[in-house]
Amino acid sequence: MAILQKTRDKAGLAVSIIIALALLSFIIDPGTLESAFNMMSSKNNVGEINGKAVSYTDFQQDVDRFTVVNEMVTGNSAQSDQQQQQIRNAAWQSLVDKYLFTKKAADAGIKVGEEELKELLAGDMVSPVISQNPVFQDENGNFSKTALQNIINAVQTDQTGRLKTYWDYIQNTVFTQQFYAKYGSLFSASNFQNPLMLKRAIADNNNTANVDFVLVPSVFTQDSTITVSDEEVQKYYNDHKSLYRQNASRDMEYVVFEVTPSAADIEATKEAMNSIYDEFSTTEAVKTFLARNSEKPLSEYWYRAGELNTINTDLNEFVFSNASGTSPIVSDNENVFYAGRIMATAQVPDSIYVRHILFAATDSQEKIDSVMNVLQKGESFANVATSVSADTQSAADGGQGNIGWLTQSYMIPGFEPALTAQVGKPFVLKTQYGTHIVEVTKRTAPVTKKQVAILQKSSLSSNETFNDYYSQASKFAKLAAGDYKNYKAAVDTLGVYSHPMTAVQESNDTYGSINQAREVTRWIFDNKVGKVSDIITVNNNYFFIATVTGIHKDGIATLDETKDVIRQQLFAQKAAEKAAADVAEQIKGMDDLQEIADKLNTSVSSDVDVRFASLNGQGLDPKFIGAVSVAPEGKICGPVAGMIGTYVFKVNGRDTGAFYTEDDAKANADQMASYMSQMILPVMMLDADVKDNRARFF
């Protein structure tokens, strides 16, 4: 464990980045997952991958392993909700790799042999997963086989088993990444563009048709003469079922009672602000006072004039109209009260260019003082950083130790004092990463800014207020009595608004502006159409009563679910064809576009260059572009029934340019290959019918 701790000290700022990149590999030991797939009822499974059921218990074990890896590399056992989600995503992707991707790669003839793996782990072709990891680098940031061997040796003596978990993770990251590299290469190599294809691509993109045309826009109104039969809808559905694949979802309605402070609650908050205002204005222990009394802690942020408007305009006006003092108590919406105390005023730049030297935790104060003396005597900062700094990753613009430009919104935690530091004068700074010698080498023009302590209190609902809203929700739930007809009657009786939502996914946890409402989603997925919930409490501040109005199963949508959309689409096609027939009848015998435009009460669009190779971005119907590409020159053609409208046109001539080069064609082919390679895994997952039910549990 001491090895990893030493590495964390040495790697400094880079460690958190490395682990984030490592987690994106989504890899875990291939030999440890066989027990993760025991067939259980789908309701109790986190998902299914290539026919393998993933139970909650076994999935959680994988999550625990990834959590250990994250803790060991970052040195932090606390994870935010976002980090926990990233870890769960990594564990899930590792299962997809194990039971789907590597199997498909093997089916394609790809192998990663034992000798090959040894070379990747510790041989002459060591994997970047290892060589670029600070854990396996020396003090100069170079890959070190000695550091690698030290980790391997430490695995054998680590009684906690955590180091073995980390080493297994590294090995299997290398193993799976090699499959990805080989499969990607195989796929890329198969995307061959022969000389004939290249020539055709260049010609298609350089050939343009100069066209004059008349467009009669489509009018989307109901026409009783156009009918779409049930048989036509059924046939279209049968022929295009694959277009209607869907994830499981629910249609629902809900009412919500939000607990908001009463007038008495607001007055109580205002009185509380008044009672502590004098102490806030005079206390020397501002940080402690705010930690005890305010929703906003003391901040070292330097505010520019106008920035406080995002909090309160009256607060901004006071701060930037006074040299010192504490503002009156102000409020924008009666629910939140503020007072601001001016703590400091200074000329502060928006941006600073910073370089630093980071010392390891084991370095003495004498060493730090010695390095400072060397710098003050004029020694090159970059040379000293190269020799001494534990951070070997920071080298912006080629200068060792250069962090680069920093702003208040893009600031290394703890580096805030550098904003007001003197240019060209190194100073010592302590942060969570260790002790630094920091120097500001450049800065933007300083402007007047202020540090402000902000006392903030929001009005909170009393128990009496809470009970009042709960009583309202309870009354609604009692009237609804678990039945949809009663629910609609309760909406009318109590005059509340029922929020409709369609196609709610199982992962949804947001309703309007209300977050963390996953319990509502779980309820609608566990109940039948027509059922109405009891009160569902969200964030202890919202009371939901929900009802299910529709169920859409995973897979191909049913005819009933799609028939309205199909009917509209077929109607639009028939309407376009009828419009084209009407135009043809009106212009029969005409051979002049201007005459045709006058007859149709529209205008002629002239000298429009149309390229068949670029169907997108021209603002024209693909049907029209296709018709232009094969039309004879100098002849009135059409009508063409497009979705935008009906076209009548004449090709005046065709030109061949040279603006689309061979490099353009190759770049376009590479771009398409890159896009297709990104679709490899999603297509595999679709083909294997991967089911991800994690939203039921997390």
Side-chain angles (χ1 to χ4, degrees), residues 36-48:
F37 291 90
N38 300 313
M39 295 303 293
M40 300 171 63
S41 71
S42 61
K43 191 173 182 64
N44 296 321
N45 289 335
V46 171
E48 184 179 303

Side-chain angles (χ1 to χ4, degrees), residues 122 146 164 257 281 309 334 361 364 382 461 466 527 543 570 589 593:
T146 300
K164 182 179 186 303
F257 297 86
S281 301
N309 284 329
E334 295 186 347
S364 65
S461 300
F466 183 92
N527 287 274
F543 302 127
L570 293 178
L593 271 183

Side-chain angles (χ1 to χ4, degrees), residues 214-495:
V214 171
L215 170 63
V216 181
S218 298
V219 179
F220 298 98
T221 58
Q222 289 298 320
D223 186 337
S224 60
T225 67
I226 301 174
T227 60
V228 178
S229 69
D230 292 342
E231 290 74 17
E232 289 174 308
V233 173
Q234 178 75 64
K235 184 178 186 307
Y236 188 92
Y237 174 78
N238 291 340
D239 293 342
H240 300 86
K241 279 187 177 181
S242 62
L243 298 177
Y244 300 107
R245 182 177 294 276
Q246 64 182 9
N247 295 321
S249 66
R250 299 291 186 269
D251 299 334
M252 55 97 72
E253 293 182 39
Y254 69 91
V255 297
V256 60
F257 297 86
E258 179 183 0
V259 181
T260 57
S262 66
D265 297 331
I266 295 171
E267 184 60 30
T269 305
K270 186 175 182 180
E271 291 177 3
M273 283 285 288
N274 287 328
S275 69
I276 60 175
Y277 178 81
D278 289 342
E279 184 180 356
F280 172 59
S281 301
T282 58
T283 181
E284 296 293 328
V286 177
K287 183 175 182 180
T288 302
F289 177 87
L290 291 181
R292 187 173 66 249
N293 295 288
S294 176
E295 296 164 12
K296 187 179 286 292
L298 184 65
S299 170
E300 295 184 7
Y301 188 87
W302 289 94
Y303 290 95
R304 176 196 282 264
E307 284 188 303
L308 284 170
N309 284 329
T310 59
I311 299 176
N312 182 276
T313 54
D314 293 332
L315 191 63
N316 183 82
E317 176 66 23
F318 175 87
V319 168
F320 290 96
S321 299
N322 293 273
S324 61
T326 303
S327 76
I329 296 173
V330 296
S331 176
D332 279 338
N333 55 20
E334 295 186 347
N335 284 344
V336 186
F337 295 89
Y338 305 94
R341 178 177 168 183
I342 301 171
M343 303 300 294
T345 302
Q347 295 296 307
V348 181
D350 288 332
S351 304
I352 52 174
Y353 195 96
V354 176
R355 58 186 180 183
H356 82 140
I357 296 169
L358 175 64
F359 293 92
T362 55
D363 288 337
S364 65
Q365 185 61 46
E366 288 77 8
K367 179 178 180 179
I368 297 170
D369 293 340
S370 175
V371 171
M372 178 65 84
N373 288 332
V374 168
L375 291 172
Q376 290 173 342
K377 290 178 180 179
E379 182 61 44
S380 165
F381 196 101
N383 290 342
V384 176
T386 301
S387 302
V388 176
S389 183
D391 175 17
T392 60
Q393 306 299 314
S394 297
D397 303 318
Q400 193 64 39
N402 285 2
I403 295 174
W405 287 99
L406 297 178
T407 66
Q408 289 193 86
S409 58
Y410 183 69
M411 175 66 62
I412 298 169
F415 269 56
E416 289 81 4
L419 285 165
T420 52
Q422 184 176 334
V423 173
K425 186 175 182 179
F427 64 98
V428 176
L429 187 65
K430 291 185 182 294
T431 72
Q432 64 188 44
Y433 303 105
T435 302
H436 314 249
I437 292 179
V438 178
E439 182 182 356
V440 176
T441 61
K442 293 180 284 187
R443 64 180 182 179
T444 56
V447 296
T448 301
K449 295 185 180 181
K450 300 194 177 189
Q451 286 184 330
V452 184
I454 299 174
L455 174 61
Q456 175 180 320
K457 276 190 178 295
S458 298
S459 300
L460 301 178
S461 300
S462 64
N463 289 337
E464 182 180 354
T465 301
F466 183 92
N467 291 335
D468 179 59
Y469 280 98
Y470 188 86
S471 177
Q472 295 178 44
S474 182
K475 182 177 181 180
F476 183 95
K478 185 176 181 180
L479 290 173
D483 180 77
Y484 181 66
K485 289 183 179 179
N486 296 334
Y487 171 94
K488 297 299 287 185
V491 168
D492 293 336
T493 299
L494 299 181

Side-chain angles (χ1 to χ4, degrees), residues 97-162:
D97 288 338
K98 168 63 179 178
Y99 286 100
L100 180 61
F101 179 77
T102 56
K103 286 184 178 295
K104 294 293 185 182
D107 290 343
I110 294 173
K111 296 181 180 179
V112 177
E114 183 177 343
E115 292 302 317
E116 179 183 3
L117 189 58
K118 288 180 180 178
E119 284 294 309
L120 289 166
L121 291 171
D124 295 331
M125 51 179 283
V126 65
S127 167
V129 173
I130 292 177
S131 64
Q132 296 177 13
N133 189 332
V135 172
F136 308 114
Q137 294 175 353
D138 60 22
E139 60 275 7
N140 296 317
N142 300 315
F143 169 65
S144 168
K145 285 193 175 182
T146 300
L148 173 61
Q149 190 60 52
N150 287 341
I151 289 288
I152 295 173
N153 293 340
V155 168
Q156 311 303 320
T157 58
D158 176 32
Q159 298 299 314
T160 68
R162 291 166 64 85

